[in-house]
Amino acid sequence: MDQQRVWPERFKVFILNNKFVICLLIILLIGLNVMVLSKVSFVLHPFVVLVKTIVLPMILSGVLYYLLNPVVDRMERWRMGRGWSILILYLAISGVLTVIILTVIPIIGAQIRGLMNNFPVYSNNIRVQFEQMAETQVFSHLQSIVNWNSEDLWNTLNQKTTELLNHSWKGITGFLGAFTETVLSMITVPFVLFYLLKDGQKLPGNMLSFLPVKSRSGAMNVLEDINHQISSFIRGQIIVSFAIGALLYIGYMVIGLEYALILAIIASFTNVVPYLGPAIAITPALIVAFVTSPTMLLKMVVVWTIVQLIEGKFISPQIMGKTLRIHPITIIFVILTSGNLFGVVGVLLAVPGYAVLKVCSTHLFNWIKDSSGLYSTKE
């Protein structure tokens, strides 16, 4: 009889009252649910369609919220109503966009058309310079060692370039499709953004109201850390990208590089992706400078090096700081993996998504460490 009472007590002590074991059981149940749902994926199809429909407007609205919310908060501290502050901000943004559309967009369009029209000329110049380089003594000596033919090499390069352009055209087609979806989503963004700016501060409290009272304090800490990580990254990265674009535009104008504005804009947009963005941004500028003259190529490299030094030594440390605390190698692997899984959207969301997962994992580990007693240093 005593033995029959001991086993339930032991089960209760070591299983039911052990938070670490309960946590493992919850993870196991979640995994089983995921496995079952993967077998009946058609049940989730409406939910997937809903997520695909709202995710882009929510992401765009979220980015704009983190950029504009400090301005609205500052205007509210000036004893202006939050609704009026948002309305004034919308009017100011509309005025800025109108000026950009009337002045900057025609210049960008003209430079894009000029770049596309001159592309055959650039290709011919590259071929001429390649043939001149093939006639040099150093290249001939290298050709005798490697045993290749310059004509065969040029044909191979042409073939690889054609394949690359075909893949790039497919990527551009996909980008245009994504751009069309973005434009359509932007129609809803002002409305979603208005309510985020107006009632966004109430959102964490409304979310936490669904949790048990004892869990709300810890959950609030998690949300605050996530908010800090995302806001720091979005604001800092956009400011840094804008600064790099402005500096490159000034540098390109000083050295007289053609299509300075469009090349600076490309660099500004691609620098949103940490570490890999600058490598992508320098490619079109290198091509334009290379076909112009060797002197222009050297000047462009000098400008790019100076801008990167200014960004690395002064701009990023002051604006970004050490908020993310993620190693550069980790960021590169995360971007590459996320890009292969989710494409362009994955590249853009890789770092903030990893930062959110890191915050959640850190808090979960701390909770397990404190509740399980397995990491206690007491004897």
Side-chain angles (χ1 to χ4, degrees):
M1 188 69 178
D2 293 337
Q3 190 69 17
Q4 292 178 352
R5 293 179 179 177
V6 169
W7 281 109
E9 291 295 329
R10 288 182 177 179
F11 178 80
K12 182 178 180 181
V13 171
F14 292 104
I15 302 297
L16 298 180
N17 290 343
N18 192 324
K19 293 183 178 180
F20 179 69
V21 175
I22 294 298
C23 180
L24 292 179
L25 290 175
I26 292 173
I27 294 174
L28 177 61
L29 290 175
I30 293 175
L32 289 174
N33 287 326
V34 171
M35 184 184 70
V36 171
L37 291 175
S38 65
K39 302 299 181 181
V40 289
S41 57
F42 61 90
V43 177
L44 299 176
H45 181 69
F47 177 75
V48 172
V49 173
L50 176 63
V51 171
K52 288 183 177 180
T53 303
I54 68 173
V55 67
L56 187 57
M58 293 303 298
I59 290 174
L60 293 175
S61 302
V63 171
L64 293 175
Y65 169 78
Y66 281 114
L67 290 175
L68 301 178
N69 189 57
V71 180
V72 177
D73 290 340
R74 176 62 61 88
M75 296 174 70
E76 192 176 19
R77 286 196 292 269
W78 292 343
R79 298 182 179 181
M80 296 180 62
R82 196 164 184 86
W84 285 106
S85 301
I86 298 172
L87 180 60
I88 293 173
L89 185 61
Y90 270 35
L91 292 175
I93 293 174
S94 300
V96 172
L97 289 177
T98 302
V99 173
I100 291 175
I101 291 173
L102 294 177
T103 58
V104 180
I105 296 299
I107 300 175
I108 296 175
Q111 292 199 2
I112 292 176
R113 288 192 298 271
L115 186 61
M116 296 300 294
N117 292 333
N118 288 331
F119 185 79
V121 179
Y122 289 157
S123 177
N124 184 61
N125 290 340
I126 293 175
R127 181 186 179 94
V128 170
Q129 294 187 20
F130 181 81
E131 291 175 352
Q132 292 176 353
M133 184 175 62
E135 296 175 357
T136 59
Q137 185 176 0
V138 175
F139 194 88
S140 300
H141 182 64
L142 182 62
Q143 180 179 350
S144 61
I145 296 175
V146 184
N147 193 22
W148 63 29
N149 189 298
S150 59
E151 185 175 353
D152 294 338
L153 178 60
W154 176 252
N155 292 332
T156 303
L157 287 175
N158 272 336
Q159 181 181 358
K160 296 297 182 182
T161 303
T162 303
E163 294 177 0
L164 179 62
L165 288 175
N166 290 332
H167 289 297
S168 300
W169 178 249
K170 293 180 181 178
I172 291 173
T173 305
F175 174 78
L176 290 177
F179 180 76
T180 304
E181 294 181 2
T182 303
V183 172
L184 294 176
S185 300
M186 288 179 65
I187 298 175
T188 63
V189 166
F191 302 99
V192 178
L193 178 61
F194 177 83
Y195 288 105
L196 278 179
L197 291 172
K198 188 175 183 296
D199 301 322
Q201 296 174 339
K202 303 176 184 178
L203 186 60
N206 294 333
M207 294 172 58
L208 295 178
S209 63
F210 294 97
L211 298 178
V213 177
K214 293 182 179 180
S215 304
R216 293 178 184 177
S217 176
M220 178 58 75
N221 292 333
V222 175
L223 291 179
E224 289 177 351
D225 286 349
I226 291 175
N227 178 70
H228 175 70
Q229 293 283 331
I230 295 178
S231 61
S232 300
F233 175 79
I234 290 177
R235 294 170 189 164
Q237 200 66 34
I238 289 179
I239 293 173
V240 169
S241 299
F242 178 80
I244 290 176
L247 290 175
L248 285 176
Y249 177 67
I250 295 173
Y252 291 161
M253 291 295 291
V254 170
I255 65 175
L257 183 65
E258 289 185 308
Y259 314 111
L261 181 59
I262 188 64
L263 293 175
I265 291 175
I266 292 174
S268 182
F269 275 99
T270 54
N271 269 277
V272 174
V273 181
Y275 299 104
L276 296 181
I280 300 172
I282 195 175
T283 305
L286 279 175
I287 294 174
V288 175
F290 178 76
V291 299
T292 302
S293 68
T295 305
M296 182 58 69
L297 178 62
L298 180 60
K299 291 180 180 178
M300 197 282 298
V301 172
V302 171
V303 168
W304 186 269
T305 304
I306 293 174
V307 170
Q308 291 302 313
L309 287 175
I310 294 174
E311 183 269 334
K313 297 297 182 180
F314 301 102
I315 299 176
S316 288
Q318 296 297 324
I319 297 175
M320 297 294 291
K322 301 293 182 181
T323 53
L324 291 180
R325 297 177 182 176
I326 303 174
H327 196 276
I329 297 297
T330 303
I331 291 179
I332 292 174
F333 285 149
V334 167
I335 292 173
L336 292 176
T337 303
S338 182
N340 287 329
L341 289 175
F342 307 108
V344 178
V345 177
V347 171
L348 296 177
L349 300 181
V351 177
Y354 177 80
V356 171
L357 290 177
K358 182 180 178 182
V359 169
C360 295
S361 301
T362 302
H363 281 272
L364 178 62
F365 176 77
N366 291 334
W367 176 78
I368 294 174
K369 182 175 67 175
D370 296 336
S371 59
S372 64
L374 298 177
Y375 299 87
S376 176
T377 58
K378 296 180 180 180
E379 296 293 337

